[in-house]
Amino acid sequence: MEEKEYYSIGEVSKICNISKKALRFYDKIGIISPDKVCDDNNYRFYNRTTLLSLPVIKYYKQMGFKLEEMRELFEGNTYGIIERQFRRKIDELKELEANIHNSYTSVKDWYDLILEAQLVIENDVHEVAVKYIDSTIYCFMEQDFEYNYRESIINIDWTNYLESINNEITGPVVLNFPSFREKMEGTCKKVKIMQKPILEYKEDQVTKMGGYMVASCYHIGSHTNIHESYQKIFDWAESHGYNCTEECYERYVTDYWTTRNEDQFVTEIMIQVTRD
């Protein structure tokens, strides 16, 4: 770059790879102003020292500083002022990082459920299997149950409760019923709705599920005949020498949150089992 006393706005634009519009805006808001303005034609000129401020601005921009914050940094002439600005930005970016992480977790978990449902449907997976499930923490709320699956899964009271305890959730809705027999017979009156928390929680706001073996069966399609899959688990357990505990879980892999086509619903039923 040829060293000159002054550079026109066009030259600065080319040298520093920045638009003339941006340079005029920086002048307007008081970040970088031209060092000389011609009276007759209002042309703007910048000296070399001012040019060297532009890489600094780009680096501030990379770090996430807003233009107003940059102006304060340029005006700051003590380490204390600059340190406070950077500390504030670090705190802001930490919060942003946490929010992005929470959003990523929620989207990734939902995406994984869609993939799981696709594999279950494509491979027509509906046989009973025994598997170990890890112990997992869930936020929960106990409710009355009236076999209205849509309102139990897309649950306004549950959403309001989570907001009241300042938490967010991820992963599938899980409904915990006190008795698989009552659920199978259509007489169950109580349910516990559960989902994994993302944020910090109090001990009385969560419950644990897992840390044991379950008989698992995917139910494909509408919830209206889900009792048939329960019967399948019960019959299988009896014929293979397993005892079913009363408590049962329905894990909604895909449901009203994902599709309006009930034929595409995938629900995993889980009942803890032990050997005779």
Side-chain angles (χ1 to χ4, degrees):
M1 179 180 70
E2 180 186 355
E3 188 165 346
K4 301 165 58 175
E5 184 178 4
Y6 290 105
Y7 301 86
S8 70
I9 190 171
E11 289 173 321
V12 173
S13 175
K14 290 179 181 178
I15 292 167
C16 297
N17 193 27
I18 188 169
S19 71
K20 290 185 281 187
K21 182 179 179 180
L23 288 167
R24 293 189 184 99
F25 185 67
Y26 290 165
D27 180 22
K28 181 179 179 181
I29 63 176
I31 293 182
I32 292 181
S33 298
D35 299 288
K36 185 174 73 171
V37 179
C38 290
D39 294 332
D40 54 345
N41 55 20
N42 215 32
Y43 283 0
R44 301 155 186 254
F45 294 90
Y46 300 79
N47 66 28
R48 186 174 180 81
T49 301
T50 301
L51 259 67
L52 295 178
S53 297
L54 290 168
V56 178
I57 287 177
K58 289 185 177 183
Y59 196 49
Y60 283 156
K61 185 177 181 182
Q62 174 187 315
M63 290 187 283
F65 284 101
K66 301 179 179 66
L67 292 176
E68 181 65 29
E69 294 169 328
M70 293 182 199
R71 184 172 63 189
E72 293 176 12
L73 285 168
F74 276 110
E75 291 173 352
N77 53 12
T78 67
Y79 282 123
I81 292 173
I82 295 172
E83 188 273 337
R84 283 194 296 274
Q85 281 284 78
F86 273 74
R87 170 50 55 189
R88 188 160 59 218
K89 180 56 64 176
I90 288 170
D91 292 341
E92 176 189 313
L93 291 173
K94 280 183 177 178
E95 182 178 356
L96 180 61
E97 181 182 35
N99 291 337
I100 291 173
H101 172 74
N102 294 345
S103 297
Y104 171 82
T105 299
S106 298
V107 172
K108 179 65 166 58
D109 286 351
W110 198 335
Y111 175 71
D112 288 344
L113 290 172
I114 292 169
L115 293 183
E116 179 182 350
Q118 286 179 334
L119 289 172
V120 169
I121 292 171
E122 288 171 4
N123 294 281
D124 194 23
V125 179
H126 59 270
E127 298 303 321
V128 179
V130 174
K131 68 178 185 179
Y132 176 83
I133 56 172
D134 292 326
S135 180
T136 305
I137 295 292
Y138 290 87
C139 282
F140 75 97
M141 184 176 72
E142 295 181 350
Q143 292 183 306
D144 294 332
F145 185 67
E146 299 177 351
Y147 288 82
N148 185 331
Y149 287 93
R150 183 187 296 271
E151 293 199 5
S152 294
I153 296 169
I154 303 180
N155 195 311
I156 294 173
D157 290 339
W158 175 236
T159 301
N160 291 341
Y161 170 70
L162 291 168
E163 289 176 350
S164 74
I165 63 172
N166 298 313
N167 215 317
E168 298 175 3
I169 45 78
T170 185
V173 171
V174 177
L175 294 185
N176 172 211
F177 300 97
S179 169
F180 80 87
R181 299 176 195 276
E182 291 179 356
K183 181 63 173 57
M184 212 164 59
E185 295 165 358
T187 60
C188 190
K189 299 297 183 184
K190 294 291 182 181
V191 69
K192 185 188 293 180
I193 182 170
M194 303 160 47
Q195 275 182 290
K196 294 179 186 177
I198 294 179
L199 307 181
E200 293 183 5
Y201 50 81
K202 297 179 181 178
E203 288 302 318
D204 62 351
Q205 296 170 347
V206 296
T207 187
K208 287 184 180 179
M209 168 189 165
Y212 45 72
M213 303 297 291
V214 299
S216 165
C217 180
Y218 284 109
H219 177 81
I220 302 172
S222 171
H223 302 123
T224 56
N225 64 335
I226 200 168
H227 60 278
E228 296 173 3
S229 294
Y230 275 94
Q231 188 65 55
K232 184 188 295 185
I233 292 175
F234 182 72
D235 293 342
W236 182 93
E238 277 200 328
S239 65
H240 287 78
Y242 285 94
N243 292 319
C244 294
T245 61
E246 279 297 309
E247 204 172 35
C248 63
Y249 298 88
E250 292 179 9
R251 173 177 167 267
Y252 299 95
V253 181
T254 49
D255 49 54
Y256 304 97
W257 282 100
T258 307
T259 177
R260 295 181 181 180
N261 183 358
E262 294 190 3
D263 292 339
Q264 300 294 309
F265 287 180
V266 173
T267 309
E268 184 184 17
I269 302 168
M270 292 177 287
I271 303 175
Q272 184 179 354
V273 291
T274 58
R275 277 290 194 183
D276 286 337

